[in-house]
Amino acid sequence: NAGVTQTPKFRILKIGQSMTLQCTQDMNHNYMYWYRQDPGMGLKLIYYSVGAGITDKGEVPNGYNVSRSTTEDFPLRLELAAPSQTSVYFCASSYGTGPYEQYFGPGTRLTVT
Amino acid sequence: RKEVEQDPGPFNVPEGATVAFNCTYSNSASQSFFWYRQDCRKEPKLLMSVYSSGNEDGRFTGQLNRASQYISLLIRDSKLSDSATYLCVVNYPRTSGTYKYIFGTGTRLKVLA
């Protein structure tokens, strides 16, 4: 199993550009998450999904959108990129919620200039 | 008060030493507790789940104190390869029935030769 994969690994965007961060998991997990991690800060939840077709906002959803058309894929869309969105983005998945661990992808380092 | 608090460190310890980290949480409804390890510029990976009875995994021991609302991680016989940031993760139920995972900012450990 590849686990959770993310593309791209690195990206530089200009202010106002848009992009989609891809996330795929092959563990048949229902739950998927998008986090951002800023230096010296804990991971902050952007969006999460409890299954195909169901998504919900996390703590910091502004400026982002998600969709979940399949169990495997959970892309994150950045519209009108801003310097405040410079961060490392991690996608994660879990079998369930509660006592279940989250498995993380390798992350996408995004710089907006 | 932050929902999850950790001493950022760094804890600099010699090889072979025993080191302990604490993590306090503010929500008494918290139900599941985890320690993750994060290497520099990498994704977090689960080190252990922490149960009320405490649990040991080789050189690593996790403890939970619900009365005082903290969890701890003890590392015995530290190895150079233990150098990393250790993230405390706590979750509690949302009204929707899913669980909200709260990540601490991490404690940095450096094991010195």
Side-chain angles (χ1 to χ4, degrees):
Chain A
N1 285 352
V4 180
T5 57
Q6 291 182 238
T7 57
K9 285 189 168 49
F10 306 93
R11 184 73 186 267
I12 298 174
L13 280 182
K14 293 192 186 306
I15 293 171
Q17 288 184 320
S18 300
M19 75 165 294
T20 299
L21 281 66
Q22 302 291 346
C23 175
T24 300
Q25 54 92 9
D26 63 359
M27 296 175 282
N28 203 31
H29 286 169
N30 282 324
Y31 291 78
M32 295 189 74
Y33 316 82
W34 274 105
Y35 292 93
R36 60 178 287 172
Q37 185 176 37
D38 300 317
M41 307 290 286
L43 277 76
K44 299 295 183 187
L45 183 65
I46 305 171
Y47 272 94
Y48 68 100
S49 170
V50 302
I54 307 170
T55 63
D56 206 348
K57 295 178 180 178
E59 304 168 77
V60 289
N62 291 345
Y64 308 95
N65 274 302
V66 293
S67 59
R68 183 98 181 269
S69 57
T70 67
T71 300
E72 294 78 20
D73 300 307
F74 190 39
L76 177 72
R77 178 83 178 160
L78 276 72
E79 304 282 1
L80 298 175
S84 60
Q85 293 178 305
T86 294
S87 190
V88 181
Y89 292 84
F90 289 105
C91 178
S93 72
S94 63
Y95 175 75
T97 190
Y100 296 94
E101 72 168 291
Q102 296 181 339
Y103 294 81
F104 286 84
T108 294
R109 294 186 174 274
L110 176 67
T111 301
V112 181
T113 62
Chain B
R1 182 183 173 186
K2 289 183 180 179
E3 292 183 277
V4 174
E5 290 198 75
Q6 295 184 253
D7 182 340
F11 285 59
N12 296 321
V13 302
E15 270 188 293
T18 295
V19 61
F21 313 133
N22 281 345
C23 164
T24 59
Y25 60 93
S26 62
N27 192 328
S28 59
S30 298
Q31 294 195 8
S32 299
F33 308 87
F34 309 87
W35 283 105
Y36 279 74
R37 171 191 170 130
Q38 186 173 26
D39 293 297
C40 188
R41 302 174 78 86
K42 300 281 193 180
E43 72 272 25
K45 292 185 179 178
L46 181 72
L47 183 64
M48 60 171 47
S49 301
V50 183
Y51 306 108
S52 296
S53 55
N55 45 299
E56 189 172 311
D57 183 3
R59 298 182 292 107
F60 300 85
T61 300
Q63 296 275 358
L64 167 62
N65 186 316
R66 285 192 182 272
S68 300
Q69 295 187 195
Y70 73 88
I71 66 171
S72 63
L73 176 67
L74 180 77
I75 305 175
R76 289 181 297 277
D77 189 22
S78 299
K79 312 289 185 194
L80 292 174
S81 57
D82 294 334
S83 297
T85 297
Y86 291 84
L87 307 179
C88 167
V89 183
V90 171
N91 73 19
Y92 58 82
R94 296 186 180 94
T95 53
S96 63
T98 61
Y99 281 71
K100 181 176 181 179
Y101 291 74
I102 309 296
F103 286 76
T105 54
T107 296
R108 190 165 164 223
L109 171 66
K110 293 179 74 173
V111 181
L112 308 172

